Amino acid sequence: MSQSLTPEEISTLREFKRDIFNLYWEKFGVFYIHVMPHPKLEIGKRGLLNAEKESGIVLVFGDKAVKVLDSKPDYLFAELQFGSAWEPTVIPWDAVFRIYDKYQNSATQLRFLQIETPPQPEVSQTKPKPIAPKTEGSIENNVIRVDFGGKRNE
């Protein structure tokens, strides 16, 4: 699967994923979509967390988990519930990896596509050296000795 797809093949794959999604939406009460990380994937303010940035996220679709649903040729828009918060979610069809029903009677694994973006030049992130606080005392062998005592009666 390392070969690149033609624009026509990409369009066909997106349409196929969209048709499969619509079939699951019509036939199953609850189903899941495994979505891989993708530059155009948007999950409201939440985004992808921790390991999801590497392995993707499994999203639940059902009448209680979806508020708004709009299927487009290139992506799926939905308002999905995460805990008690509703998040606007944009799922590019290219990022859809698996679709399966609640009891896994039906499972479909698909090819997901990453849009190749040119590598960003790395910015050197050198931290400035911390400035030592000014203290009273003597410096011997790179050790700062501070007199924390009060006034001494000598």
Side-chain angles (χ1 to χ4, degrees), residues 29-47:
V30 175
F31 65 98
Y32 305 91
I33 296 181
H34 184 176
V35 179
M36 297 303 288
H38 190 279
K40 293 184 178 179
L41 175 65
E42 297 175 23
I43 304 178
K45 295 177 184 175
R46 179 190 185 278

Side-chain angles (χ1 to χ4, degrees), residues 4-19:
S4 60
L5 297 176
T6 66
E8 185 178 283
E9 290 171 324
I10 292 171
S11 178
T12 300
L13 182 57
R14 287 175 183 162
E15 184 179 338
F16 180 69
K17 289 179 181 185
R18 184 177 180 193
D19 290 345

Side-chain angles (χ1 to χ4, degrees), residues 65-86:
V66 178
K67 190 187 267 187
V68 176
L69 189 65
D70 189 14
S71 179
K72 301 288 184 184
D74 292 340
Y75 65 91
L76 174 69
F77 174 81
E79 282 192 33
L80 300 178
Q81 189 171 20
F82 292 87
S84 61
W86 289 93

Side-chain angles (χ1 to χ4, degrees), residues 42-100:
E42 297 175 23
I43 304 178
K45 295 177 184 175
R46 179 190 185 278
L48 294 176
L49 307 175
N50 304 325
E52 295 171 352
K53 293 176 183 174
E54 295 293 321
S55 59
I57 184 170
V58 175
L59 302 171
V60 180
F61 284 81
D63 59 343
K64 294 180 183 174
V66 178
K67 190 187 267 187
V68 176
L69 189 65
D70 189 14
S71 179
K72 301 288 184 184
D74 292 340
Y75 65 91
L76 174 69
F77 174 81
E79 282 192 33
L80 300 178
Q81 189 171 20
F82 292 87
S84 61
W86 289 93
E87 298 284 355
T89 307
V90 176
I91 305 164
W93 293 119
D94 293 345
V96 174
F97 181 46
R98 291 185 187 103
I99 302 176
Y100 53 95

Side-chain angles (χ1 to χ4, degrees), residues 118-124:
Q120 298 289 332
E122 290 188 27
V123 177
S124 176

